[in-house]
Amino acid sequence: MKVSDILRVKGITLFTVIPSQPLSEAVDVMSEKDIGSLVVMEYGDLVGMLTFREVIQAIVKNGGQIGTMSVRSAMDEFPMTCTSETELDEVRRMMLDRHARYMPVMDKRMLVGVISLYDVAKAVVDSQNFENQMLKAYIRDWPSEEPAEPKGAVL
């Protein structure tokens, strides 16, 4: 299974911010849309990722206040990315190694979506459920063997 399979099911709705945008506006968007991340774009390029983790860390560093902080001051400037052709097993390993919950999906230099650890886990569970259903159907439809008549029996 590949990232493109997740995006096909999930859709490619993207929410972005710019680095100079006030962090408070970004938090408002995250709350309003009920999302855990925003892609940070500048001049059409991916320049960072803002997740609730970075927001919390920035607020703690700022004495518990958002104040006038910008998105740039809180964002992850080096987000891990994948392509739509990346295998799901590789994405899982990458996300687990880096403790990443969100990953932008890039094709060449174009942002095509964002996947979350939830999306990956759901895809794996759905795939396993489908496989289990197929195996159960196969077992249920197993051809029964007719008992063979004993050789040499007289009728």
Side-chain angles (χ1 to χ4, degrees), residues 27-140:
V27 170
D28 286 344
V29 170
M30 291 170 81
S31 175
E32 178 186 316
K33 303 294 182 187
D34 192 25
I35 55 175
S37 69
L38 291 167
V39 180
V40 186
M41 302 290 289
E42 190 171 46
Y43 306 114
D45 291 327
L46 171 75
V47 294
M49 191 76 179
L50 182 69
T51 71
F52 55 85
R53 175 185 289 155
E54 285 83 27
V55 170
I56 296 299
Q57 289 173 344
I59 290 172
V60 168
K61 284 181 189 173
N62 201 38
Q65 306 271 330
I66 287 183
T68 60
M69 286 189 291
S70 67
V71 168
R72 186 180 305 280
S73 66
M75 70 183 193
D76 175 359
E77 293 178 331
F78 305 103
M80 186 172 36
T81 64
C82 64
T83 71
S84 57
E85 293 302 308
T86 306
E87 293 287 337
L88 214 51
D89 287 340
E90 177 66 10
V91 170
R92 284 192 303 186
R93 186 195 60 72
M94 292 166 62
M95 292 178 101
L96 290 172
D97 286 352
R98 183 127 170 234
H99 298 266
R101 290 183 181 92
Y102 302 92
M103 185 181 295
V105 181
M106 306 291 290
D107 277 338
K108 297 194 171 86
R109 292 181 47 117
M110 188 165 84
L111 177 68
V112 294
V114 174
I115 60 171
S116 68
L117 193 54
Y118 171 84
D119 298 328
V120 173
K122 184 178 182 321
V124 169
V125 168
D126 289 349
S127 175
Q128 288 173 342
N129 285 341
F130 178 74
E131 187 175 311
N132 286 341
Q133 288 174 344
M134 293 297 105
L135 287 171
K136 286 176 183 176
Y138 179 74
I139 291 169
R140 197 172 31 249

